[in-house]
Amino acid sequence: MSPVIEEHARARLITDGPLTRPVPVDLRYDATEDPRTVHITLPGGTDWAFGRDLLERGLRTPIERGAVRVWPCGRTQLIVELHSTDGVEVFQFEIRTLIRFLARTRAQAPATATPSDGTPEKRPSRTTTTAVTPTTTAARPEQGAQAARG
């Protein structure tokens, strides 16, 4: 079995406008690179790397670490909010897609990769793998509501 797990998924890009739009994303895990880290690659080649435990915890309760916020949205959706110098992007994922991906990563992870192994948690990082950067940024939902009232 290959140590790299890749899963193509669809997320909804949440904007401050009335419409959301589906976007393709890639979920990736490489136990040989860092068994605690997962990657979400967005359209345009932007790759976000952060601790697998951040997604796992975010399935149950809101959590924030650095530039990444994750929280459940009802029983079937998960929101991932990514902050960068380019702005804020908010994505809505189907929980079952992430549960399936995380289950595959747990099956592949070495036993020493558990969060209780005494190693520090993975800090989120963002890289752009191509010269193209995302052109659509989204405000946090509460900011959009405030702007509409103001």
Side-chain angles (χ1 to χ4, degrees):
M1 182 182 214
S2 171
V4 177
I5 296 170
E6 288 188 279
E7 193 163 316
H8 304 291
R10 292 192 82 59
R12 296 201 68 76
L13 176 62
I14 310 297
T15 66
D16 54 0
L19 300 176
T20 63
R21 65 181 174 101
V23 294
V25 296
D26 290 319
L27 306 171
R28 187 173 59 81
Y29 173 76
D30 184 349
T32 60
E33 179 182 294
D34 185 347
R36 296 170 295 149
T37 302
V38 294
H39 294 262
I40 296 178
T41 303
L42 305 173
T46 301
D47 181 75
W48 282 85
F50 48 87
R52 183 177 61 180
D53 65 309
L54 185 67
L55 278 184
E56 290 173 336
R57 291 179 189 175
L59 291 169
R60 296 180 306 278
T61 187
I63 186 168
E64 176 180 354
R65 190 174 303 141
V68 179
R69 295 180 181 155
V70 181
W71 67 92
C73 180
R75 294 185 315 201
T76 62
Q77 305 294 316
L78 182 80
I79 304 296
V80 176
E81 182 178 287
L82 306 168
H83 294 254
S84 72
T85 56
D86 296 331
V88 178
E89 292 181 297
V90 181
F91 295 90
Q92 183 176 10
F93 287 86
E94 291 285 330
I95 282 180
R96 70 176 177 246
T97 301
L98 294 173
I99 288 173
R100 181 178 57 237
F101 172 71
L102 290 169
R104 292 178 64 202
T105 67
R106 279 191 301 277
Q108 186 69 35
T112 59
T114 60
S116 62
D117 68 356
T119 57
E121 295 177 332
K122 173 71 177 170
R123 299 288 302 168
S125 65
R126 174 181 176 258
T127 58
T128 303
T129 55
T130 64
V132 179
T133 58
T135 57
T136 305
T137 59
R140 288 196 310 236
E142 64 270 11
Q143 289 175 334
Q146 288 172 355
R149 289 190 297 262

